[in-house]
Amino acid sequence: MEPDEEAEARRVLAESLHSGSPEALAEAYRRWARLIYTIAVRSLESAADAEDVTQQVFLAAWTGRQTLRPTADALPRWLVGIARHRIADTIAQRYRGRRTLAAVADQPDPVVAETADRLLLAHEVAALPEPRRTVLTLAYLHDCTHEEIARRLDLPLGTVKSHLARGLLQLRRRLEGGE
């Protein structure tokens, strides 16, 4: 396409979107979603957040399409402007979340402390190698006997007991900061 033809195509696309054409939104997404995603992932350093922002941008473009001035260069600039606002919102939300988490962490609430301990323990158990992780999970979260674990995992009983003992020692070292 020639530059003038491309500019006219962008203007027509902007007019169609402004008028409420779902096909125009789909075409705008096809043309500029990658650009929006790239800007978002570079700013947020998170692919998941960048995907969310990209989706939010095109949803906002659809719901706010009446604010678009349908000129040749307006649509991509407008989308990038929406993206910048959504990125700023995401960063502010992260900051508020961290502040809230810090405030909760400073509370001497036993429920919060117990929840934090459970989360830490779950994280450390998840970091254990297999089959140790499964053996500990079955023993302490599902209350299985050593014999039941041996049968379920098709392991000798002595091996199950060894995994339990070594897994508990490994957890202790990790939780005490030694590993």
Side-chain angles (χ1 to χ4, degrees):
M1 225 184 249
E2 294 294 317
D4 290 341
E5 291 174 350
E6 177 59 28
E8 180 60 18
R10 285 195 312 266
R11 187 192 63 72
V12 169
L13 181 60
E15 279 182 5
S16 296
L17 179 60
H18 181 79
S19 298
S21 166
E23 293 80 16
L25 179 66
E27 178 63 18
Y29 183 86
R30 187 189 64 73
R31 287 184 180 209
W32 293 295
R34 187 176 302 248
L35 170 67
I36 300 302
Y37 175 82
T38 301
I39 292 168
V41 81
R42 287 180 181 166
S43 299
L44 299 171
E45 299 177 345
S46 164
D49 287 345
E51 288 172 6
D52 289 344
V53 164
T54 303
Q55 182 178 12
Q56 291 170 17
V57 165
F58 286 93
L59 180 61
W62 179 252
T63 59
R65 65 189 178 273
Q66 300 81 13
T67 63
L68 172 64
R69 290 190 181 147
T71 63
D73 295 327
L75 186 53
R77 289 180 184 171
W78 184 64
L79 292 170
V80 168
I82 295 171
R84 288 187 176 150
H85 286 285
R86 296 296 179 196
I87 290 165
D89 291 346
T90 301
I91 291 169
Q93 185 178 15
R94 283 181 184 172
Y95 175 72
R96 284 190 301 274
R98 286 185 191 130
R99 255 191 8 216
T100 302
L101 186 59
V104 168
D106 289 342
Q107 300 286 329
D109 185 346
V111 173
V112 172
E114 182 181 340
T115 302
D117 288 345
R118 285 177 183 256
L119 287 172
L120 176 62
L121 185 59
H123 174 74
E124 293 301 331
V125 168
L128 291 173
E130 284 295 346
R132 209 167 278 172
R133 172 179 48 231
T134 302
V135 169
L136 281 169
T137 301
L138 289 172
Y140 295 105
L141 295 179
H142 299 284
D143 293 324
C144 293
T145 66
H146 298 165
E147 292 80 12
E148 289 172 329
I149 296 168
R151 209 173 25 259
R152 276 176 128 173
L153 300 180
D154 196 27
L155 292 173
L157 182 59
T159 302
V160 168
K161 290 180 180 181
S162 294
H163 279 305
L164 280 170
R166 289 184 183 125
L168 289 172
L169 284 173
Q170 189 174 0
L171 274 177
R172 182 178 181 184
R173 283 194 305 268
R174 290 177 66 99
L175 291 171
E176 290 175 347
E179 191 175 306

